[in-house]
Every structure is written in structure tokens, then in C-alpha cells.
Amino acid sequence: MGGFDVKKKLTGLLFSLSLAASVVLAGCGSDSTDSDSGSDSSGGSKGDTIKIGANLELSGGVASYGQSILEGLELAIEEINKEGIDGKKIELVKVDNKSEGSEATSAALKLITQDDVVASVGAATSGNTIAQVQIAEDNETPIISPSGTSPDITFKDGKLNEFAFRTSFIDPFQGTVAANFATQEIKATKAAIYLDSASDYSKGLAAAFVEQFEANGGEIVAEEAYVAKDTDFRATLTRLKAAEPDFIFLPGYYEEAGLIVKQAREAGLDIPIMGGDGWDSPKLVEIAGNEVLNNTFITNHYSSGDPDEKIQEFVKAFKAKYSDKSPDAFNALGYDTGYFLADAIKRAGSTDSVKIKDALASTKDLELITGTFTLDDKHNPVKSATILEFVDGEQQFKTKIDPQ
């Protein structure tokens, strides 16, 4: 029954009725086939079809992430379907969560209780992934976030979320890598923190950065905050400048980060500025400008400029499918998530969702584009991080940092 029994499925259906209006809205954003196509009581598998969901931010504030993940995922599925999995082809059921937690919840309900998928990919952000974790747990259907970096997705309050997985590294690792880079490579000694006070992602990265930066002998000389959708950062940047930092850590998403870097340069803050993977969007350059981004850095999951042969083969295949577009990290994470899930389905030898969950949890030494990883006991991949530098609007591969 796709990893959940009739009673659980009825429970999910009753819950979905209470959110009927939002489920309908989520359904309107879906590119799925009719619900009676390719599915039966065996959990999203009938004949030669395996149904998996894509619960992604295809519109709204962080649509760039979801769209990129979907591109990579669709390329992976296209490749996987050339040979299939035990004679079956993957059918992708797409739902737009509109970059909102409530929509992500509705989308999760739709995919599990109506489309009967065996597993789902998404969401892109931590908050939108956390919004659907309990539904995955209650219905025993795995979800995999390609890029949700909050530890709480898979492990919270001392408890493992058994059906929640991720393809990315987590915030503490990313923040620690950034702090080590700041002190060891940039030789920074006085850092300022500028974070999104409403974002768990931003606060998690900042906390990890501060802890490691201070452990390395550095001093945090100022900390300021903003919230998503702010557009004028001049007053707080003036206060940051007065503290005379030699480095700014700016963990946030591309919409605000682009404006902040631009206004920081206008304020005369020409020091190095660093962010996390939330900066990784073509729109960042559009917002900030090419020259403004010089002397800025990000931690990320991969670089299309990495000379690794496997990565370059992926870049070539991606460009062939998407009109010579160079794949960003979210493209790569979407691609890897497709192969991560396909590998688990193959090893499970079944389309039963519980067996797929067990296979995902036992993943070991899986070679993917964003690194070779083994899942730890909290469902986090142990993998490397990449440091990128912006040079005249282009990301340049700087170094790769392996986990300690």
C-alpha cells in the first residue's frame, strides 16, 4: 500500500478534506496526469510506472530554487528512464507550493492521498520542507529535500524523523566552513553578522559561523538583522561600518542579499562579504550587478567549474538539454536527488514506501555530482562543501572542503 495501510490513508484523506480549499489550489498548480493513470493500491506503481512527487517552489519568493531543482530532477529522470528501474519508468507528479509553507503542506497531502506517490522530492527551503514532515511521517511516505539545510528537517528535539531525508549538507557544517575560510584564507579577525531574523536558515548559519569564528580567535564586532522583503538596509549598514569589521557574514536568500551587497558597496563597505548557498541564483547578479559582487564568496554544494570529470559530464548533459545554460548548485542537487531516490528504489527491490525509506537510510558511498556521501544516523549526507568567489558576475571555483 505504498508504505501506509488503509486506515492511515483514510486518516490522511480526512485531514485533507479539512484543507480542501488549499488542496484544490495546489492541484491547480500541478502538471500531474489524471489520478487513475499509472497507480493502484501498490503505492504509486502499476505495470511499468513508478510515481514520485515533486513538491517545489515553482512560483513565489524563492521560485528560482524550485525551478532549478526541477530542471536537474527532470534531467536525471530522463536519463534513469532510458534503462528504467526493474523494467519500470519513473513518472513525475509536479505540484507548485508557491514558496509558502501552507501550500507545501497542501501539496504533500495531494501527492500522498490523491496521486499515491511512493516518495516526494522537495521542498527547496527548510521551512517549506519542515511544513510537510509530519504528513510524511503520518503516512509513512519518504520526502527528500534537495537543499533544505536546517538540521530540524530530519532530527528535532532528540527524535529522528524517519521518513525525512536530504541531499544537501546541513547549516552547522556550512557555517563552520565559512568561518574557517574567513579566518584561514581571508585572514579576517573582526567579523560583522547581518542576518534575517525571521529565517531559521539564516539564524542557523550565523550561529555556526559565530561559534567557529570565535573558536578560531576572531571577534564578532557587530550584529544586525533584517527581515525578508526589506529593501532599504542603509541604516543598519551604517552601524555595521562604524564597528570597523574586516569581514561581513551575510547568510540569507538572494533577493535581499543582492540588495544588501549593493547598498553596502554604496556605503563604502568594500571588505569581503560571504554568504551561503541561499545566494546561489542567477537573479543575484541581476539585483546586485557584476562589479558589486567582486570580493564576495559563498559556500555551496558544487561548482560547474570544478574540473572533476563526473561534474563536467553532468555540465555537458545539462547544457545539451537546457540551451547551453550552465547548471547551478540547485540544478545539481535536483539531479542528485533523482539518482539518490532511484538508487534506493533499486536497492529496495520494491515500490513499497517503507522499504524505500529503509534503503534511503542505508545509503553508503553513493557517488553523485555534489559529492560522494554516506547518510549518517540523522539522515544527513556526510559530504564536501565548495567555496566559490564572484568575479565580474561569474562564480569561480576556489576550493573544496571535506568534512572533518
Side-chain angles (χ1 to χ4, degrees):
M1 299 291 292
F4 58 98
D5 59 24
V6 174
K7 182 178 179 181
K8 286 178 178 174
K9 189 168 184 179
L10 287 173
T11 300
L13 285 168
L14 288 172
F15 184 30
S16 69
L17 287 174
S18 69
L19 296 173
S22 56
V23 172
V24 169
L25 287 172
C28 291
S30 171
D31 293 322
S32 67
T33 57
D34 293 338
S35 60
D36 62 351
S37 172
S39 66
D40 65 5
S41 61
S42 60
S45 177
K46 181 179 180 180
D48 59 358
T49 299
I50 302 170
K51 294 178 78 173
I52 67 171
N55 184 346
L56 294 168
E57 296 83 340
L58 303 180
S59 64
V62 291
S64 175
Y65 301 151
Q67 291 165 1
S68 288
I69 286 169
L70 182 61
E71 288 175 340
L73 178 62
E74 290 185 323
L75 174 59
I77 290 173
E78 182 180 292
E79 293 176 356
I80 292 163
N81 280 345
K82 289 178 181 178
E83 294 186 4
I85 302 174
D86 296 330
K88 300 178 186 295
K89 305 288 188 182
I90 293 174
E91 176 188 342
L92 187 64
V93 184
K94 296 172 282 187
V95 183
D96 179 11
N97 66 40
K98 304 174 186 176
S99 301
E100 297 178 9
S102 60
E103 293 287 344
T105 302
S106 299
L109 283 166
K110 176 189 181 297
L111 289 167
I112 293 171
T113 65
Q114 295 182 32
D115 296 304
D116 204 24
V117 299
V118 301
S120 287
V121 173
T125 66
S126 294
N128 292 338
T129 305
I130 291 169
Q132 55 178 309
V133 166
Q134 194 58 52
I135 294 168
E137 296 292 301
D138 290 345
N139 291 283
E140 298 186 344
T141 304
I143 59 170
I144 309 172
S145 174
S147 52
T149 50
S150 169
D152 287 351
I153 290 173
T154 60
F155 190 87
K156 186 175 182 180
D157 299 329
K159 178 180 177 294
L160 177 68
N161 294 323
E162 288 190 44
F163 287 84
F165 298 85
R166 78 178 88 239
T167 315
S168 62
F169 46 61
I170 59 174
D171 291 336
F173 174 59
Q174 188 173 191
T176 298
V177 166
N180 286 336
F181 177 78
T183 54
Q184 296 168 12
E185 300 296 326
I186 301 296
K187 307 301 181 185
T189 59
K190 299 187 297 179
I193 308 296
Y194 198 11
L195 57 82
D196 180 347
S197 60
S199 166
D200 289 340
Y201 164 79
S202 185
K203 290 185 289 186
L205 275 178
F209 178 91
V210 169
E211 181 178 355
Q212 188 63 42
F213 190 79
E214 291 180 337
N216 291 350
E219 178 186 2
I220 304 299
V221 296
E223 181 173 319
E224 294 288 344
Y226 65 92
V227 294
K229 307 302 179 185
D230 282 352
T231 57
D232 188 348
F233 307 94
R234 293 175 179 85
T236 45
L237 287 168
T238 297
R239 291 197 293 271
L240 287 181
K241 185 179 180 181
E244 300 184 345
D246 55 18
F247 184 91
I248 296 175
F249 187 55
L250 175 61
Y253 297 136
Y254 61 88
E255 286 187 311
E256 292 79 26
L259 288 173
I260 290 170
V261 174
K262 184 176 183 179
Q263 292 175 25
R265 299 310 191 211
E266 291 170 354
L269 279 163
D270 296 325
I271 58 178
I273 302 177
M274 189 169 192
D277 57 335
W279 283 33
D280 190 24
S281 168
K283 293 186 179 297
L284 178 78
V285 180
E286 294 176 17
I287 295 167
N290 292 356
E291 291 186 12
V292 163
L293 286 170
N294 286 341
N295 203 23
T296 67
F297 308 85
I298 60 172
T299 50
N300 214 345
H301 306 271
Y302 114 117
S303 168
S304 61
D306 190 322
D308 182 277
E309 183 178 350
K310 188 177 182 69
I311 289 176
Q312 290 309 309
E313 288 176 358
F314 161 67
V315 171
K316 182 179 179 181
F318 189 91
K319 286 185 173 183
K321 181 174 175 62
Y322 294 110
S323 304
D324 207 35
K325 175 184 173 182
S326 183
D328 63 23
F330 289 90
N331 294 135
L333 287 168
Y335 182 86
D336 278 359
T337 303
Y339 275 99
F340 179 26
L341 181 52
D343 174 72
I345 295 172
K346 288 177 185 176
R347 287 187 290 105
S350 170
T351 56
D352 179 87
S353 295
V354 174
K355 292 180 179 179
I356 293 171
K357 177 265 295 185
D358 292 339
L360 286 167
S362 64
T363 299
K364 184 177 181 181
D365 297 330
L366 180 62
E367 293 187 14
L368 299 173
I369 301 305
T370 59
T372 298
F373 74 74
T374 296
L375 242 59
D376 66 17
D377 59 2
K378 296 179 181 177
H379 291 183
N380 298 320
V382 180
K383 61 193 296 191
S384 60
T386 295
I387 303 291
L388 302 175
E389 179 178 6
F390 283 92
V391 178
D392 295 331
E394 298 290 332
Q395 292 183 2
Q396 291 194 3
F397 174 73
K398 194 160 185 70
T399 187
K400 187 178 289 186
I401 309 294
D402 294 324
Q404 299 295 322

